[in-house]
Amino acid sequence: FMISAIAKQPSVLRYAGDRQRNNAEVVLGAVKSEPRALEWASTGLRNDRDFVLRALRVNVGALQYVPEHMRADRAIAMTAAKSRGSLIQFIAEELRG
């Protein structure tokens, strides 16, 4: 039931249990239409570099919800900058310019 609700309305993820918030495919499906869904993902997924890169490939707008410490990662910054240059404001300052 919950996965179906998240698919229809991604913001439901914020109220979901740990099982759904830790399910990469459920979160990626939500991020596709609602970039803020990355913020509601489990801490484990949010701190998983490979998962974050996948989320950015699905919806680069999720960059603003990437944990601060990961914004200094060159691969994350380049993925975002290649897709949408205006997102440079969310990249760690030392990587800008």
Side-chain angles (χ1 to χ4, degrees):
F1 169 76
M2 184 59 81
I3 291 173
S4 175
I6 293 166
K8 291 177 184 169
Q9 185 64 40
S11 62
V12 170
L13 184 61
R14 84 177 99 182
Y15 306 110
D18 292 341
R19 187 170 166 204
Q20 289 84 19
R21 294 176 63 216
N22 199 42
N23 182 316
E25 298 312 313
V26 169
V27 175
L28 289 173
V31 166
K32 186 174 185 177
S33 60
E34 173 55 69
R36 189 171 184 184
L38 183 60
E39 181 178 45
W40 307 319
S42 69
T43 301
L45 286 179
R46 292 185 71 227
N47 287 308
D48 180 323
R49 180 179 183 266
D50 292 332
F51 175 78
V52 169
L53 284 167
R54 286 177 63 197
L56 292 175
R57 288 184 193 110
V58 167
N59 188 336
V60 73
L63 179 65
Q64 60 189 312
Y65 304 105
V66 170
E68 194 70 38
H69 71 276
M70 294 186 83
R71 294 182 190 183
D73 183 289
R74 188 165 302 283
I76 288 171
M78 294 306 293
T79 297
K82 285 179 186 175
S83 294
R84 194 180 311 157
S86 63
L87 290 173
I88 200 161
Q89 65 184 324
F90 298 110
I91 295 171
E93 196 168 321
E94 62 266 21
L95 294 179
R96 297 180 206 168

